[in-house]
Amino acid sequence: MSDTFRFYPSLTPLPPTTPRGSSRIPQQFSIPSLSISDFPRKSLNFPQKIGVSGGKVWALAAWNQEGPLQDLDDSPVSVELKPISSDTQFDRILGEAQQLEESVAIVWMATWCRKCIYLKPKLEKLAAEYYPRLRFYCVDVNTVPHKLVARAAVTKMPTIQLWKDSKKQAEVIGGHKAYFVVNEVREMIENECAM
């Protein structure tokens, strides 16, 4: 193993090197590389011999210690939807939100529902946008008593509801494309929280 470390900061597109109809695959990208000597040794604290994968980890760790990665926002990228598994837990969450004068978003879903499974990570990203002023929860309709599902008047999955003062304020039924549903949920939250 040599003392050089290859680092690939970007891909630079090049025009195809072979004419149309050629059986040879054209080279599409040129990848510039840097050697370890291109980095100040003091700032990266590299050991004498380094492997490619280990070198990348060290470079990122040192880069983080010295600046640019520290300037990143500390807010979460996504927030896991907290599960609700009983009607007493549901009542307790609504009661806590009422005391804090906050709204709560509840996603009603089922484990067998493909749209629910596909939509959940997108709603977790949306939850990060409103964290911590709005809490998001999920309810699997197959694991809670039917009376809770009936109380919330849920008939289709996924259904996203906004609750405030222990009352349902608005809902979105997510039977169409995920980005439409996320935008409708965002509008619902903005409209209800503006009041």
Side-chain angles (χ1 to χ4, degrees):
M1 188 183 295
S2 69
D3 283 335
T4 58
F5 161 70
R6 301 270 178 213
F7 183 73
Y8 304 106
S10 66
L11 296 176
T12 309
L14 291 178
T17 57
T18 59
R20 240 178 220 270
S22 171
S23 61
R24 213 175 119 215
I25 298 172
Q27 180 183 357
Q28 298 267 334
F29 296 98
S30 162
I31 303 174
S33 65
L34 302 171
S35 73
I36 200 164
S37 60
D38 294 332
F39 295 102
R41 207 172 214 350
K42 218 181 222 184
S43 67
L44 291 178
N45 298 325
F46 277 105
Q48 288 296 338
K49 292 193 178 191
I50 194 161
V52 173
S53 63
K56 287 182 183 177
V57 172
W58 279 95
L60 285 175
W63 190 255
N64 187 15
Q65 291 171 0
E66 296 213 352
L69 291 180
Q70 288 179 347
D71 297 336
L72 293 174
D73 188 8
D74 287 340
S75 60
V77 174
S78 69
V79 174
E80 186 174 340
L81 304 179
K82 298 174 189 163
I84 296 176
S85 56
S86 67
D87 50 352
T88 55
Q89 183 185 12
F90 182 79
D91 291 333
R92 184 177 47 78
I93 288 168
L94 292 180
E96 289 172 2
Q98 187 174 7
Q99 285 179 344
L100 298 171
E101 297 179 2
E102 292 179 346
S103 296
V104 175
I106 300 178
V107 181
W108 299 84
M109 53 193 345
T111 54
W112 48 262
C113 171
R114 283 185 169 200
K115 290 189 184 216
C116 301
I117 294 166
Y118 184 72
L119 186 62
K120 187 176 179 183
K122 288 155 182 50
L123 291 173
E124 288 174 339
K125 286 182 181 181
L126 182 67
E129 291 179 29
Y130 293 98
Y131 179 81
R133 65 185 173 122
L134 178 68
R135 293 179 290 165
F136 279 69
Y137 295 90
C138 68
V139 179
D140 183 350
V141 297
N142 295 324
T143 61
V144 295
H146 181 69
K147 67 179 183 176
L148 178 59
V149 178
R151 175 178 153 197
V154 174
T155 56
K156 297 179 182 175
M157 261 69 68
T159 297
I160 302 94
Q161 297 178 336
L162 193 67
W163 290 70
K164 188 170 185 169
D165 298 328
S166 297
K167 295 178 189 152
K168 180 174 66 171
Q169 302 296 316
E171 79 176 0
V172 171
I173 297 175
H176 39 280
K177 299 274 186 197
Y179 63 92
F180 286 133
V181 175
V182 170
N183 286 337
E184 287 180 17
V185 171
R186 184 179 282 116
E187 286 176 23
M188 173 182 71
I189 292 168
E190 295 298 328
N191 290 341
E192 292 301 319
C193 291
M195 295 179 155

